């Protein structure tokens, strides 16, 4: 049946609905693709072939009865910090190496509800902490565009799988850029929804006031279709908002004439690679030619965002990760005299270096005597950053910025310098600080490596930012570019 994995969701859906192919055939074509390339890419922690084929059979039964929704029978990958009933959910950590959840995350339930097919669990930086997928306790993922390079992180497995045709789409999570940045580095589309739009029930917590679940896809239409299924109120997540979910697909009319797009000067930094700058500037020109009104704007507190995030996120992580004490679940070292020693050994062996660094940073920022100077101050800065966005969105409909100031770099390039690693999140994490939605869409290549264009909107403007991304995508060829793998 040729290379089915190259099709868009809409094309796969048409073939399935018209019964030209079955979900079992489609799923098998993805499993074959995984067999062919996975040893090179390492995008998966767990591949669940049997579960996938069983779900595909169920989907075919549904389709035979005339129930073929947009995602029915289409195989996807899910990040390994999202709970999947009966399937290992390791969070990329030794701590949860053998953890098998007894429940599904809400987003998994919703996708199962429309008959989607789970291929397996995506590789990632441990507990979502990282920007390169090199902090996985198991192995790093390779970028399909150049296997010597990182795929971005932390949802690097998802981005690499979609780019390499090892999944039709992936579900990731984004705390400071983990969907958008790997999407940019692997040349795919990634959306971080508004805080509260998608339920986090079953998403293992990293930094709870930042975390969001979202889609990683080959094009914008696919992204809208998935968002429609996974978003909406969930009584199991107290931060999920009781709002009606619009049809995001209907927002994609391809017309951005008169749309006001702000260009925030602070996102075009000195440290930005010239190839990225060129691609993003040329995308802005294209948007202008398409009828958008380009408005230079300023978000002056952006310069504090990196410091603010790297105090608040580790603080929340130090509290969230306190539960891994070797008692209730996860890795447990018990060959000691007393409980305290057992807990110490469990945590020092179960967690990797970066996670330990974050726990120490966060515990320090929260400790008495330092709380006011670090945590409290960072919370106040968070409000200022949010205020900046609020006032700029009085003038413009959305903001245009690079997703990452750099393209995918070589493995090992930044691992021994954590601050250099953190600094590449500078364009993505302000969005999480303010709880906003943002999408990354491919906008070209720099030295043969993908560059991402980031479109940031006010809260709940997913329909609008997706339409801007869609309009841009339709006017350019970039999303058709796929890595040549050999
Ligand atoms: N790179 C950022 C961090 O390490 C963001 C990660 C994420 O979004 N999960 O915290």
């Amino acid at each position: 049946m040729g290379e089915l994995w190259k099709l868009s969701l809409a094309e796969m859906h048409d073939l399935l609905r018209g019964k030209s192919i079955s979900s079992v055939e489609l799923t098998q074509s993805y499993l074959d693709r995984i067999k062919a390339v996975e040893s090179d890419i390492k995008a998966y922690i767990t591949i669940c072939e049997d579960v996938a084929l069983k779900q595909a059979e169920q989907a075919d039964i549904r389709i035979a009865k005339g129930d073929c929704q947009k995602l029915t029978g289409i195989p996807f990958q899910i990040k390994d910090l999202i709970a999947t009933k009966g399937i290992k959910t390791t969070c990329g950590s030794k701590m949860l190496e053998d953890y098998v959840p007894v429940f599904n995350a809400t987003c998994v339930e919703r996708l199962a509800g429309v008959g989607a097919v789970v291929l397996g669990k995506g590789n990632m930086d441990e507990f979502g902490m990282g920007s390169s997928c090199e902090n996985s306790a198991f192995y790093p993922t390779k970028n399909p565009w150049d296997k010597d390079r990182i795929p971005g992180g932390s949802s690097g497995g998802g981005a690499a799988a979609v780019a390499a045709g090892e999944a039709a789409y992936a579900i990731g999570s984004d705390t400071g850029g983990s969907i958008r940045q790997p999407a940019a580095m692997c040349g795919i589309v990634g959306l971080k929804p508004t805080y509260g739009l998608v339920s986090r029930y079953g998403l293992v917590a990293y930094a709870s006031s930042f975390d969001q679940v979202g889609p990683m896809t080959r094009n914008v239409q696919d992204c809208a279709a998935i968002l429609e299924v996974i978003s909406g109120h969930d009584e199991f997540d107290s931060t999920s908002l009781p709002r009606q979910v619009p049809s995001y697909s209907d927002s994609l009319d391809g017309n951005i004439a008169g749309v006001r797009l702000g260009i925030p000067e602070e996102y075009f930094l000195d440290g930005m690679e010239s190839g990225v700058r060129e691609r993003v500037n040329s995308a802005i020109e294209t948007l202008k030619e398409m009828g958008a009104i380009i408005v230079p704007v300023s978000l002056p507190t952006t310069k504090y965002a990196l410091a603010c995030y790297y105090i608040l996120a580790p603080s929340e992580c130090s509290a969230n990760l306190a539960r891994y004490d070797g008692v209730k679940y996860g890795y447990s070292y018990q060959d000691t005299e007393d409980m305290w020693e057992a807990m110490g050994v469990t945590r020092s062996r179960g967690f990797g270096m970066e996670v330990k660094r974050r726990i120490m940073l966060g515990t320090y920022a929260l400790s008495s005597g330092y709380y006011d100077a670090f945590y409290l101050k960072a919370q106040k800065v968070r409000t200022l950053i949010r205020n900046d966005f609020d006032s700029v969105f009085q003038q413009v409909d959305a903001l245009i910025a690079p997703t990452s100031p750099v393209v995918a770099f070589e493995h090992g390039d930044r691992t021994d310098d954590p601050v250099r690693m953190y600094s590449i999140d500078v364009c993505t994490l302000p969005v999480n600080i303010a709880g906003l939605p943002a999408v990354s869409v491919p906008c070209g290549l720099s030295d043969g490596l993908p560059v991402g264009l980031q479109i940031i909107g006010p809260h709940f403007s997913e329909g609008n930012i997706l339409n801007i991304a869609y309009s841009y995508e339709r006017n350019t060829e970039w999303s058709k570019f796929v890595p040549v793998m050999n």
Side-chain angles (χ1 to χ4, degrees):
M1 212 38 225
E3 294 183 312
L4 293 172
W5 56 267
K6 285 191 174 156
L7 304 178
S8 70
L9 290 190
E11 288 165 332
M12 290 182 219
H13 170 70
D14 284 347
L15 291 176
L16 287 165
R17 203 187 38 190
K19 308 212 174 58
S20 313
I21 55 164
S22 68
S23 173
V24 169
E25 279 173 294
L26 183 62
T27 303
Q28 192 56 56
S29 91
Y30 274 102
L31 291 167
D32 292 346
R33 177 74 183 162
I34 291 172
K35 273 191 199 107
V37 301
E38 176 59 8
S39 58
D40 278 346
I41 303 294
K42 310 297 253 178
Y44 282 83
I45 291 178
T46 302
I47 299 162
C48 38
E49 183 165 350
D50 295 348
V51 173
L53 289 169
K54 205 172 283 164
Q55 288 180 347
E57 278 170 25
Q58 297 292 327
D60 283 332
I61 293 171
R62 257 178 109 126
I63 295 168
K65 289 185 187 149
D67 176 13
C68 187
Q69 299 176 44
K70 280 184 198 165
L71 305 182
T72 308
I74 301 180
F76 72 105
Q77 187 215 65
I78 188 145
K79 190 174 181 180
D80 211 18
L81 84 174
I82 296 175
T84 39
K85 187 175 176 180
I87 303 169
K88 262 197 315 186
T89 299
T90 70
C91 297
S93 181
K94 287 266 170 223
M95 192 58 100
L96 293 177
E97 197 170 6
D98 301 312
Y99 172 56
V100 180
V102 293
F103 71 109
N104 272 334
T106 296
C107 61
V108 176
E109 272 298 295
R110 292 200 176 159
L111 288 163
V114 296
V117 174
V118 179
L119 287 167
K121 306 298 296 284
N123 198 15
M124 55 180 284
D125 289 297
E126 187 174 5
F127 287 102
M129 297 171 203
S131 312
S132 64
C133 217
E134 291 167 297
N135 296 338
S136 164
F138 306 111
Y139 33 77
T141 296
K142 317 265 176 71
N143 191 317
W145 292 81
D146 178 348
K147 286 173 225 132
D148 291 333
R149 291 173 190 266
I150 57 110
S154 65
S155 315
V162 174
E166 293 188 79
Y169 63 95
I171 300 292
S173 71
D174 190 312
T175 304
S178 279
I179 289 176
R180 290 160 287 156
Q181 187 256 33
M185 289 186 169
C186 289
I188 64 160
V189 176
L191 173 79
K192 182 252 169 218
T194 303
Y195 187 78
L197 186 69
V198 179
S199 168
R200 287 104 46 84
Y201 177 69
L203 168 73
V204 177
Y206 160 15
S208 311
S209 75
F210 298 84
D211 301 336
Q212 253 298 280
V213 171
M216 308 177 81
T217 59
R218 246 175 251 147
N219 64 51
V220 179
Q221 268 181 314
D222 291 2
C223 201
I226 295 157
L227 187 65
E228 273 159 25
V229 173
I230 61 173
S231 56
H233 183 241
D234 175 19
E235 61 177 346
F236 294 134
D237 174 0
S238 62
T239 61
S240 102
L241 289 157
R243 288 174 69 99
Q244 199 68 28
V245 176
S247 163
Y248 297 109
S249 305
D250 287 350
S251 312
L252 310 182
D253 62 13
N255 179 11
I256 56 162
V259 171
R260 294 176 67 82
L261 299 177
I263 314 299
E265 57 175 295
E266 293 79 5
Y267 285 66
F268 293 77
L269 313 138
D270 289 343
M272 186 176 177
E273 285 175 2
S274 58
V276 173
R277 188 184 299 272
E278 263 166 44
R279 291 310 328 147
V280 173
N281 282 338
S282 136
I284 293 169
E285 277 308 307
T286 305
L287 291 163
K288 198 168 160 184
E289 283 158 22
M290 289 162 59
I293 300 163
I294 304 296
V295 187
V297 294
S298 170
L299 295 156
T301 47
T302 303
K303 57 176 175 291
Y304 305 119
L306 194 68
C308 171
Y309 174 88
Y310 275 100
I311 290 174
L312 295 180
S315 297
E316 293 186 22
C317 120
S318 76
N320 275 327
L321 271 59
R323 66 184 60 134
Y324 305 106
D325 55 8
V327 177
K328 212 165 174 182
Y329 42 67
Y331 174 69
S332 177
Y333 185 84
Q334 294 175 359
D335 193 13
T336 56
E337 293 293 307
D338 69 75
M339 181 191 85
W340 297 111
E341 195 189 339
M343 218 179 266
V345 178
T346 295
R347 285 170 71 79
S348 60
R349 292 193 185 178
F351 291 135
M353 271 291 283
E354 184 57 31
V355 171
K356 286 186 227 177
R357 182 180 292 121
R358 306 282 178 108
I359 292 173
M360 284 192 283
L361 283 170
T363 307
Y364 185 83
L366 288 172
S367 32
S368 100
Y370 297 102
Y371 179 93
D372 287 359
F374 294 103
Y375 183 76
L376 188 63
K377 191 155 199 176
Q379 286 288 27
K380 290 178 179 170
V381 172
R382 183 173 199 174
T383 305
L384 297 177
I385 292 171
R386 196 184 150 151
N387 291 348
D388 262 10
F389 279 113
D390 285 349
S391 67
V392 113
F393 285 132
Q394 304 288 322
Q395 308 164 47
V396 296
D397 301 307
L399 296 166
I400 303 292
T403 306
S404 162
V406 299
V407 294
F409 45 87
E410 288 188 1
H411 286 274
D413 199 25
R414 291 175 187 249
T415 30
D416 52 8
D417 188 345
V419 175
R420 244 184 105 232
M421 185 70 92
Y422 301 165
S423 68
I424 57 172
D425 300 338
V426 63
C427 298
T428 47
L429 46 82
V431 167
N432 304 68
I433 291 176
L436 301 168
V439 58
S440 179
V441 62
C443 70
L445 302 175
S446 166
D447 284 337
L449 295 165
V451 177
L453 181 75
Q454 187 176 207
I455 304 161
I456 306 167
H459 297 112
F460 302 107
S461 65
E462 278 78 1
N464 195 29
I465 60 170
L466 285 170
N467 187 41
I468 298 166
Y470 173 71
S471 310
Y472 175 76
E473 183 185 80
R474 282 211 329 183
N475 264 270
T476 57
E477 295 291 304
W478 303 121
S479 73
K480 300 194 181 77
F481 280 54
V482 289
V484 181
M485 293 167 59
N486 36 38

